[in-house]
Structures are given as structure tokens and as C-alpha cells.
């Protein structure tokens, strides 16, 4: 397939690229009218200068692209060499048990530092913070979560988001309405959470609800909650429209989790998964590490048109330029390193 740069608004698909530099096939996909964003992985990242060159190359092709990454801290951070190594967020939860004010201060500083480092290399946002509960059930969540208590998660999550915001970066809460109560990993299985809605609302959702007016984005879980809907949350109008937008009042952008994950496969072919996610209320859908499926989805959605509200929500995901004060960034790094060295939670 061959496509020329398209003057129309960006499309609903966020996909990945093959390596640290764009190949011909990457350029063709990025120029497809259905493409609206790129997510970076380990293979795309060799250091700050290289990442900055890669994102600049992408924007020369499509200036309006959203460029994202999973940079949470701990075991989930794609940018390592030349970037700050953030501890897992659960270490902030441990500190919160002892000194809540200090934990909030560090969470805010971590969010600000993360945002400044990503902005410096041309990345719009990270899919963070994780707002799932750490119930010692889900290994795929585990120490990625701040805590088991939804009130503590909301407290630290809000501080982290405020740090991102002051540095001009949007935030994406995940994985709504909560992935922490299931053992199965939705990357390789279809998890089911049998709890009734009232129990989920009184526990897991209480980590998301206080942040609804502060988050620019939300990512739903590829988890089935059969007491509510027989579809995974990311394909469910009940979860996305009735509960997330209706009851909770969330007005930001909704990003599907990766449609290539096993937790999404029950929804059918790649094209059927894409349709189901968009019809449920996702504004942008992710398809990762499967260029063959990405091509199918792009071709299927070539004529897809987003409405004005969707376009406005996605525009708010672009990073806002802020002055990069090197001394301030160094001070934030020193604050984080001093805490880790003191052993207040550790990495």
C-alpha cells in the first residue's frame, strides 16, 4: 500500500513502528489517513538524541500525530538509557503508609520530571498513572499500582497527575474499572472479574472517580465483568458510556488497550475488534506489535471520520510547551535520588 500525506485530521488508530529509525513501511502506515498516533517500545529507543530524531521524523510526515509511550516506572518504562529510572509506584504507596505528605510531594515531583524528560524528546504523553489496586492477585499489575487502598491510590495518583500537568503533559488513567482483582493477564488470556457492580463501584472505581475531572485520558481494561456486561470493558457501552461518562462524568479521551492482546480476541477479527471498540466509545484504538493486523485495521477504517467532540478530546492530549529549566529538572532528579538512597521505599 502507498499513501501520500493527508490534509485531513488524524485518524483513530495508534500503532507502533519497527525500530529506532523509520523504514519505508513505517512511513506508509504513518501517512495513512486512519493513523492518528504512535506508541514507542523498547526497540524504538536507544537514547535521548535518537528518540528526539525519531519523533521529529514522524512529525515531518504528520505534524498532528500523537506520540505516546508506556513510562510508568519500575518494570514498565521504555525509556531507560539517558533517562531517569523511576521506582515502581508501589514504593510511593509504602511511603504513604508512613509519611503521606512526603509521598505526595515525591509523586508530584516524579510526574513533573517524567513529563519534562518526555517533552524534551518530542513525546506527547505516557499511558500513566496506573490506578488499579494492588491486591496481591494480579501479577501483571502488582507493584505498578500505588497501593491496595483506593483512597491512597487516588491521593497519589492526583499528585502524580498534577506533576504531569504543571510540565504541560496530559495524563491517562488505567485500567478502568480496575484490573487488580483478577489473576489472569489480559495480554495472554481473557480475565473475568465476577464481582457485582456495587462492589466494584465501592472499591476499585473509588480510585478512578476522584481523578475523573483531572485526567485527559482513560484506558479501559481488557477484563470481562459478567455481572455488568459479557464484553470486556473496552468494548462495552455500559462501562464506557453509561458508567464512565454517565455516572462518573469523565469527559476526556478514551484509548483502547492493545487490540492485539488475547483479552481482545474474543471480539472477532482485527476489523471487528476495531469497530467494537469505537462503537463502545473509544476515541482512539491501539494495535501493537502486529503490523499485519494494523494494515487490516487501517484499510478497514480508511474512510472513518471522527466527530468534533472526539477531535477536541484528542487535541487535548498533545503536550503543551513549557520552559525546560535544567536546574529545576536537576533538582527534581536529586529529590528522587535522595529518597531512594535513604531507603524510603526503595526501587
Amino acid at each position: 500500500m502507498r499513501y501520500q500525506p493527508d490534509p485531513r485530521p488524524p485518524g483513530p488508530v495508534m500503532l507502533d513502528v519497527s525500530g529506532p529509525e523509520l523504514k519505508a513501511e513505517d512511513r506508509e502506515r504513518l501517512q495513512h489517513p486512519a493513523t492518528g498516533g504512535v506508541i514507542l517500545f523498547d526497540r524504538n529507543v536507544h537514547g535521548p538524541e535518537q528518540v528526539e530524531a525519531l519523533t521529529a521524523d514522524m512529525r515531518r510526515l504528520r505534524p498532528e500525530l500523537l506520540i505516546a509511550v508506556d513510562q510508568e516506572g519500575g518494570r514498565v518504562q521504555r525509556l531507560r538509557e539517558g533517562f531517569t529510572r523511576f521506582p515502581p509506584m508501589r514504593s510511593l504507596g509504602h511511603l504513604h503508609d508512613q509519611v503521606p505528605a512526603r509521598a505526595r510531594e515525591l509523586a508530584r515531583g516524579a510526574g513533573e520530571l517524567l513529563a519534562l524528560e518526555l517533552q524534551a524528546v518530542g513525546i506527547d504523553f505516557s499511558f500513566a498513572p496506573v490506578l488499579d489496586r494492588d491486591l496481591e492477585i494480579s501479577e501483571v499489575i502488582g507493584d505498578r499500582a500505588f497501593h491496595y487502598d483506593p483512597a491512597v491510590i487516588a491521593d497519589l495518583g492526583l499528585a502524580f497527575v498534577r506533576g504531569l500537568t504543571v510540565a504541560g503533559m496530559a495524563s491517562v488513567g488505567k485500567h478502568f474499572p480496575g484490573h487488580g482483582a483478577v489473576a489472569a493477564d489480559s495480554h495472554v488470556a481473557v480475565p473475568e472479574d465476577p464481582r457485582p457492580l456495587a462492589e466494584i463501584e465501592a472499591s476499585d472505581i473509588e480510585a478512578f472517580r476522584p481523578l475523573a475531572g483531572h485526567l485527559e485520558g482513560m484506558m479501559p481494561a481488557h477484563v470481562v465483568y459478567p455481572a455488568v456486561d459479557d464484553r470486556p470493558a473496552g468494548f462495552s457501552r455500559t462501562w464506557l458510556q453509561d458508567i464512565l461518562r454517565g455516572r462518573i462524568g469523565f469527559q476526556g479521551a478514551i484509548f483502547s488497550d492493545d487490540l492485539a492482546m488475547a483479552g481482545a480476541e474474543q471480539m472477532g477479527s482485527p476489523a471487528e475488534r476495531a469497530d467494537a471498540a469505537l462503537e463502545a466509545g473509544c476515541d482512539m484504538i491501539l494495535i501493537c506489535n502486529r503490523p499485519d493486523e494494523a494494515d487490516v485495521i487501517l484499510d478497514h477504517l480508511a474512510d472513518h471520520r471522527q466527530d468534533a467532540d472526539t477531535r477536541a478530546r484528542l487535541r487535548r492530549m498533545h503536550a503543551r510547551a513549557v520552559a525546560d529549566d535544567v536546574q529545576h529538572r536537576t533538582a527534581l532528579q536529586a529529590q528522587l535520588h535522595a529518597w531512594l538512597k535513604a531507603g524510603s521505599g526503595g526501587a
Side-chain angles (χ1 to χ4, degrees):
M1 58 180 186
R2 302 193 64 82
Y3 299 95
Q4 297 301 315
D6 196 286
R8 292 175 293 182
V13 180
M14 178 173 280
L15 43 72
D16 56 328
V17 295
S18 56
E21 298 178 349
L22 295 181
K23 296 182 179 179
E25 57 267 31
D26 298 319
R27 295 177 183 278
E28 290 184 2
R29 291 188 184 99
L30 295 185
Q31 291 174 162
H32 192 288
T35 297
V38 180
I39 180 169
L40 302 181
F41 287 92
D42 295 351
R43 65 179 180 272
N44 307 124
V45 177
H46 288 174
E49 291 184 1
Q50 171 269 322
V51 176
E52 186 176 10
L54 176 62
T55 59
D57 198 9
M58 292 175 180
R59 295 199 193 281
R60 277 191 289 271
L61 286 175
R62 297 285 295 276
E64 72 280 16
L65 282 177
L66 287 170
I67 302 177
V69 70
D70 283 317
Q71 189 79 349
E72 302 171 6
R75 56 197 157 101
V76 181
Q77 44 190 330
R78 312 303 182 198
L79 308 174
R80 293 179 179 267
E81 187 65 35
F83 296 88
T84 298
R85 300 289 185 95
F86 293 92
M89 293 297 104
R90 187 65 179 90
S91 59
L92 289 170
H94 287 309
L95 181 60
H96 193 284
D97 291 338
Q98 304 166 29
V99 192
R102 179 61 172 156
R104 285 191 291 271
E105 179 186 12
L106 286 165
R108 186 186 185 282
E112 184 177 359
L113 178 58
L114 185 150
L116 290 171
E117 292 190 344
L118 297 191
Q119 280 231 50
V121 295
I123 296 173
D124 287 302
F125 65 92
S126 171
F127 286 104
V130 172
L131 299 176
D132 303 297
R133 299 171 67 205
D134 178 12
L135 299 172
E136 299 184 349
I137 296 172
S138 172
E139 290 186 7
V140 74
I141 299 300
D143 65 2
R144 296 165 65 191
F146 287 109
H147 208 267
Y148 65 86
D149 184 339
V152 176
I153 296 169
D155 192 27
L156 291 174
L158 181 56
F160 184 85
V161 166
R162 284 174 170 159
L164 294 175
T165 301
V166 77
M169 185 158 287
S171 53
V172 181
K174 61 185 184 185
H175 304 82
F176 180 82
H179 199 306
V182 292
D185 178 355
S186 55
H187 292 84
V188 296
V190 183
E192 287 198 9
D193 184 339
R195 294 176 299 164
L197 176 59
E199 182 178 340
I200 298 170
E201 283 194 302
S203 54
D204 300 58
I205 287 179
E206 284 305 306
F208 291 86
R209 193 188 309 274
L211 274 72
H214 301 272
L215 296 164
E216 288 83 10
M218 192 80 77
M219 176 177 282
H222 282 331
V223 175
V224 176
Y225 306 85
V228 180
D229 196 337
D230 60 2
R231 294 180 169 214
F235 301 98
S236 166
R237 288 188 64 85
T238 300
W239 278 115
L240 301 188
Q241 300 295 335
D242 299 342
I243 299 174
L244 181 58
R245 293 219 187 274
R247 293 194 198 184
I248 296 175
F250 178 67
Q251 297 180 16
I254 301 177
F255 294 84
S256 83
D257 209 340
D258 180 10
L259 298 187
M261 290 164 57
E265 290 180 351
Q266 66 171 294
M267 300 308 299
S269 69
E272 289 169 334
R273 287 175 236 158
D275 284 342
L278 292 169
E279 289 167 6
C282 290
D283 295 300
M284 182 165 278
I285 55 175
L286 275 70
I287 179 69
C288 309
N289 303 309
R290 287 295 304 268
D292 56 332
E293 293 191 357
D295 288 341
V296 170
I297 291 172
L298 291 176
D299 287 343
H300 178 68
L301 296 176
D303 296 321
H304 180 85
R305 295 292 177 269
Q306 295 167 316
D307 62 32
D309 289 341
T310 296
R311 293 197 300 271
R313 288 191 289 265
L314 291 174
R315 277 196 300 271
R316 290 194 287 270
M317 297 304 303
H318 284 287
R320 294 179 289 104
V322 296
D324 187 7
D325 184 332
V326 176
Q327 288 185 328
H328 181 57
R329 199 198 304 190
T330 301
L332 291 171
Q333 291 171 329
Q335 178 189 59
L336 181 67
H337 293 156
W339 166 54
L340 294 176
K341 186 176 181 180
S344 299

